[in-house]
Amino acid sequence: MQHNWSKYLRWIITLLIACTAVGLFFGEPLYGLTAGLLAYLWWTLAQAKRLYHWLGNPSGSDEAPQSVGLWGDIFDGLHRLHQNHLRTQDKLRAQINRVQESTNAMRDGVIMTDSRGAMEWWNGSAEHLLGFRRSSDRGQFIHNLIRNPAFKAYFDSRDYREPLELNSPAKPHIHLQIQISLFGDDDRLIVAKDVTRLYQLEQMRRDFVGNVSHEMRTPLTVISGYLETLVDNADDLPPKWRRAINTMAQQSSRMEALITDLILLSRIETGEQTINDAVTDLQAMIQQICHDAKALSGEQGHEFNVSIGDRHLLRGDESQLRSAFSNLIFNAVKYTPAGGLITIIWKTDRDGGHLSVKDTGIGIDPVHIPRLTERFYRADPSRHKETGGTGLGLAIVKHVLLNHDGNLEIRSRIGDGSEFICHFPRERLAERLPETAS
């Protein structure tokens, strides 16, 4: 490149010397030099004009303007750059088209928006699931098309660890699961998945559990009543029947407890049990539960250490909260050896309220902790007969906390006991009990 530039410079100097020599021949060397400079300036402006017109519409012709010398090399270099740009553009366009085609083939709706929620692109499934229209919706804010306060709050929260479930605004019979991901300059990639079938199956399961539990309660109550009568009059029965009747009575009691928990869990899940957000005095409630837990402990002589902070008023459904706390404290009694220590602590901080139930029992292997709140899941199935539990207690606790905007934290290790902590947000804390009318 440096060699070519030197050659062009030599040509220009040679041309100017020649023009000066011609002028000298006629006795006016300055006029000759001036004429040479003007000619070179005119030729340069003409080449610049050709370049200007070509750059204004480079796709109008595949060939660059033809010239010689420095301008010829400039035209050729720009032409090569233009061709490389076109090839790169075609390659990127093909990749974008391929991505869009593959995305359009998905059954899930995919939407791209900017940081404010203005819609930039969406696939065909999004049109089907959400009712978007390409002719008019591009550039619209997505929360104006999905008019759901829960979606607006979810979009603005920037906390997308858990998906959002809602009904389609265009087809209410379709149940959607919305998941948002951040990318680029705070832009959003929204995926809408049709989970109608899973939702219906889950609803059928809940209805089935609830209905079967209700239908089983009446005959089981009758059976339990007759068995209780037989147990009370066991002395009048032949000795060989006493053990069988006692065993049947125990299993009948366990079945009744199971059905009671199933009905309660079904009501909590389906929303059949209306949540009454009244102000609850946790100090009185926990003291009553501990009194019942001591009765359950009986001769095992568990020691209870209860600490309740000054701010012990919580907004929530007292019946549900009592069920959740009772399950945790009674489980501590069941899984703690005789003479063990059970510690119940209620405290508040800037994050909210926290109820901790800690025992000195046998502990739980951490591998089981993520599944402990599943229905009927047991970390140690061999303990089923010993404790007489239903396997639904922690599932009830989890759903009660979800209804109260809280969550359950479990800490445990084999041989070190267990600690179950119920976390409630600050909005659930109350300052004082409501005044009762006199």
Side-chain angles (χ1 to χ4, degrees):
M1 184 64 68
Q2 182 67 30
H3 174 72
N4 290 339
W5 173 254
S6 300
K7 182 176 66 175
Y8 299 145
L9 187 61
R10 287 196 299 271
W11 284 358
I12 293 172
I13 294 174
T14 301
L15 174 64
L16 293 178
I17 291 174
C19 290
T20 303
V22 171
L24 183 63
F25 178 78
F26 291 101
E28 296 291 342
L30 185 60
Y31 286 163
L33 177 62
T34 301
L37 289 174
L38 290 175
Y40 181 76
L41 177 62
W42 175 84
W43 184 77
T44 300
L45 290 175
Q47 302 305 313
K49 181 179 179 182
R50 296 175 66 192
L51 175 63
Y52 175 78
H53 287 298
W54 181 63
L55 292 178
N57 186 23
S59 60
S61 174
D62 289 335
E63 295 297 330
Q66 299 297 319
S67 185
V68 295
L70 176 62
W71 284 99
D73 286 350
I74 290 176
F75 288 143
D76 291 341
L78 289 176
H79 180 65
R80 286 193 298 271
L81 290 175
H82 179 58
Q83 293 300 315
N84 291 336
H85 170 72
L86 290 179
R87 284 193 293 270
T88 303
Q89 191 177 54
D90 291 340
K91 184 177 180 180
L92 291 176
R93 186 178 292 110
Q95 291 179 347
I96 292 174
N97 291 336
R98 183 174 177 82
V99 170
Q100 291 183 347
E101 288 176 2
S102 62
T103 307
N104 281 322
M106 296 175 59
R107 295 184 178 182
D108 299 340
V110 180
I111 309 103
M112 293 175 59
T113 75
D114 62 15
S115 58
R116 300 179 301 159
M119 296 176 56
E120 298 177 344
W121 180 87
W122 58 90
N123 66 351
S125 295
E127 295 183 359
H128 169 71
L129 296 174
L130 295 164
F132 297 155
R133 293 173 294 181
R134 294 191 181 276
S135 59
S136 60
D137 291 342
R138 187 178 301 277
Q140 296 288 330
F141 290 108
I142 190 169
H143 45 75
N144 290 338
L145 302 176
I146 305 178
R147 294 182 176 273
N148 188 309
F151 175 79
K152 179 67 166 59
Y154 181 65
F155 185 92
D156 294 338
S157 69
R158 297 175 56 86
D159 183 6
Y160 307 133
R161 290 173 295 180
E162 296 294 333
L164 172 70
E165 293 192 5
L166 48 80
N167 291 327
S168 167
K171 301 176 181 179
H173 65 279
I174 295 180
H175 197 76
L176 299 176
Q177 184 182 80
I178 306 293
Q179 182 72 63
I180 301 180
S181 300
L182 292 171
F183 74 98
D185 188 15
D186 210 21
D187 297 333
R188 265 77 164 178
L189 178 67
I190 305 172
V191 178
K193 186 174 184 179
D194 184 355
V195 293
T196 305
R197 181 173 175 79
L198 292 176
Y199 178 78
Q200 291 174 343
L201 289 174
E202 178 66 14
Q203 191 64 40
M204 289 174 59
R205 182 198 63 77
R206 293 176 179 176
D207 293 341
F208 174 78
V209 170
N211 293 335
V212 169
S213 300
H214 279 286
E215 293 299 326
M216 289 178 62
R217 167 170 275 185
T218 299
L220 188 58
T221 301
V222 174
I223 294 172
S224 298
Y226 281 116
L227 286 173
E228 185 177 350
T229 302
L230 291 174
V231 171
D232 292 340
N233 297 275
D235 295 338
D236 299 334
L237 298 175
K240 63 180 180 179
W241 293 105
R242 295 175 185 172
R243 180 179 178 184
I245 291 174
N246 287 329
T247 303
M248 291 167 63
Q250 293 174 359
Q251 297 303 318
S252 175
S253 298
R254 290 180 59 190
M255 284 290 291
E256 283 187 314
L258 174 61
I259 290 174
T260 300
D261 284 351
L262 280 173
I263 292 174
L264 175 61
L265 183 58
S266 176
R267 288 176 177 173
I268 294 174
E269 286 182 331
T270 59
E272 180 182 342
Q273 188 179 52
T274 305
I275 298 179
N276 179 22
D277 277 346
V279 177
T280 302
D281 186 351
L282 293 186
Q283 184 172 17
M285 177 189 292
I286 293 173
Q287 288 177 349
Q288 180 61 46
I289 295 174
C290 288
H291 180 270
D292 297 338
K294 291 177 181 178
L296 177 65
S297 173
E299 298 179 355
Q300 295 187 66
H302 292 102
E303 180 182 353
F304 290 83
N305 185 4
V306 181
S307 174
I308 307 296
D310 294 335
R311 196 176 180 185
H312 50 76
L313 301 180
L314 185 69
R315 296 186 184 277
D317 186 279
E318 182 175 352
S319 176
Q320 289 194 18
L321 293 173
R322 185 181 297 274
S323 297
F325 298 161
S326 297
N327 272 297
L328 293 179
I329 296 175
F330 292 168
N331 278 350
V333 174
K334 293 175 183 178
Y335 295 115
T336 302
L341 174 64
I342 299 173
T343 304
I344 300 104
I345 299 175
W346 168 261
K347 64 179 181 179
T348 58
D349 54 26
R350 63 181 182 180
D351 296 324
H354 316 276
L355 176 74
S356 168
V357 179
K358 187 174 183 180
D359 61 56
T360 56
I362 59 178
I364 305 167
D365 191 330
V367 72
H368 298 293
I369 290 179
R371 299 190 60 190
L372 282 181
T373 56
E374 295 180 10
R375 302 171 189 84
F376 304 111
Y377 183 82
R378 291 182 177 277
D380 184 2
S382 64
R383 297 192 297 179
H384 178 76
K385 294 182 179 180
E386 299 176 7
T387 62
T390 62
L392 296 172
L394 292 181
I396 292 173
V397 173
K398 181 185 75 171
H399 283 89
V400 168
L401 293 179
L402 288 176
N403 285 346
H404 291 78
D405 311 312
N407 62 84
L408 178 65
E409 179 184 359
I410 304 174
R411 302 173 182 174
S412 185
R413 293 172 62 183
I414 294 293
D416 290 341
S418 304
E419 182 178 13
F420 295 81
I421 307 174
C422 302
H423 299 287
F424 296 92
R426 292 183 60 186
E427 293 76 14
R428 286 282 172 180
L429 300 178
E431 296 299 331
R432 61 180 182 272
L433 286 168
E435 296 181 1
T436 57
S438 56

